[in-house]
Amino acid sequence: MAWNTVSLDWEGTVATLTVDRPDALNALNVETLEAMLEAIAEAEDEGARVLVLTGAGDDAFIAGADIKYMQDLEQDEAMAWGALGHEVADALAAFNGVSIAAVNGYAFGGGCEMAIACDLRVASESALIGNTEIDLGIIPGWGATQRLPQLVGDELARRLIFLGSRLDAKAAEEAGLFGEVVPDEELDERVAELAQELAAQPAMALRAAKRSLNQDGSQTAGLEYEKQAFASLFGTHDQREGMAAFVDGRDPEFE
Ligand code: CAA
């Protein structure tokens, strides 16, 4: 499918979703959020093992939700708008494979929220990230009050959201918000390398690991889920092959 502000490109089983609204530093409007939903579904339908989310150009990952669109919304409209953003963030979090945010510039507000909905984050040295919504008289609307504390801890998440702090890449890495930071010119190559490494992992095991890690109920329920997911992998090609290869002293050939 073709979209005006989003593209989906393939390299083997790695799909890259690029948000492309250069006039608005890739800020997200309704059209773009709807296109992202379609693109994520297409990547999943076509069997992507890894989905990379990034922004077009050199300046921005996603500069947030579109403020010009939001400024005059009534509460019922804001409810629908928030729900649409949540739907996209949830689709990234639940993606049936690994999602990686390649953070190549500004990732403010809703941009930060899309990044932290992904499984992993790799950033360029010049990236800036933060939940800056408080400066607009609102709060994060696409998941940060729930996802940010899980990444950086409760006290720091409160400080970042209450103060609208903008972190540079190094500070974000130290806070646990970025998994790794690389020189700007190496971002694409590093993300491609990581994505291909993940795509070569046994897919069913990777998905089961992700679903177990994503359990957000009680620990007891999560442990029960893990128990079931662990058992469900026995008898799969990759489990038999992985263990046979170990016993035979050779490299496994996963599906
Ligand atoms: N929404 C709409 N337009 C945006 C935008 C946004 N979030 N961010 C940037 N733009 C537009 C600017 O209005 C400008 O357009 P014009 O040329 O038509 O005026 C263009 O992109 C370039 O932006 P700047 O001239 O401001 O570029 P800069 O380099 O001087 O500054 C910036 C870059 C620091 C990122 C600055 O643009 C900025 O602070 N943007 C807003 C960031 C923000 O607050 N994001 C959070 C939004 S709230 C949210 O996301 C709510 C939620 O949780 C769902």
Side-chain angles (χ1 to χ4, degrees), residues 23-25 27 63 65-68 106 108-110 113 132-133 136 141-142:
D23 296 345
L25 293 176
D66 191 315
I67 300 167
K68 292 167 190 165
Y106 301 120
F108 293 146
E113 289 172 297
T132 56
E133 291 91 343
L136 300 167
W142 295 345

Side-chain angles (χ1 to χ4, degrees), residues 15-248:
T16 298
L17 195 175
T18 305
V19 175
D20 191 0
R21 286 190 75 209
D23 296 345
L25 293 176
N26 304 326
L28 302 178
N29 59 5
V30 171
E31 178 189 3
T32 309
L33 288 168
E34 287 176 344
M36 288 173 79
L37 274 182
E38 289 178 4
I40 295 166
E42 185 170 310
E44 214 165 60
D45 289 348
E46 307 224 339
R49 291 185 174 205
V50 177
L51 176 68
V52 176
L53 174 66
T54 196
D58 296 330
D59 297 325
F61 172 69
I62 294 169
D66 191 315
I67 300 167
K68 292 167 190 165
Y69 169 75
M70 278 190 296
Q71 66 173 336
D72 293 321
L73 293 185
E74 300 296 340
Q75 287 189 4
D76 57 341
E77 296 166 319
M79 181 67 88
W81 169 242
L84 180 59
H86 268 271
E87 208 180 328
V88 177
D90 289 349
L92 290 168
F95 181 73
N96 196 25
V98 178
S99 48
I100 304 175
V103 184
N104 58 323
Y106 301 120
F108 293 146
C112 174
E113 289 172 297
M114 292 304 164
I116 65 177
C118 291
D119 290 303
L120 304 172
R121 282 148 294 283
V122 183
S124 61
E125 275 172 350
S126 62
L128 289 173
I129 189 162
N131 280 107
T132 56
E133 291 91 343
I134 200 99
D135 293 347
L136 300 167
I138 57 171
I139 67 166
W142 295 345
T145 65
Q146 304 306 302
R147 293 193 175 102
L148 192 61
Q150 289 187 330
L151 280 176
V152 305
D154 190 77
E155 164 95 12
L156 182 56
R158 283 170 198 265
R159 285 171 182 259
L160 295 176
I161 290 172
F162 292 167
L163 297 169
S165 312
R166 291 147 174 82
L167 299 183
D168 64 26
K170 191 169 176 300
E173 186 181 26
E174 281 166 8
L177 199 41
F178 291 153
E180 57 183 301
V181 175
V182 297
D184 294 11
E185 63 280 8
E186 292 173 21
L187 181 66
D188 291 348
E189 192 185 334
R190 173 59 193 139
V191 170
E193 182 186 59
L194 177 63
Q196 292 300 341
E197 193 181 346
L198 288 162
Q201 294 290 76
M204 285 181 73
L206 205 58
R207 287 173 180 143
K210 171 171 173 163
R211 288 198 199 104
S212 288
L213 285 158
N214 279 3
Q215 294 301 303
D216 60 0
S218 68
Q219 189 184 63
T220 306
L223 290 170
E224 183 56 35
Y225 186 92
E226 183 196 88
K227 207 188 297 174
Q228 305 284 343
F230 172 76
S232 75
L233 295 169
F234 283 75
T236 63
H237 166 88
D238 288 346
Q239 178 267 325
R240 294 291 195 246
E241 168 62 11
M243 294 191 187
F246 175 81
V247 172
D248 297 346

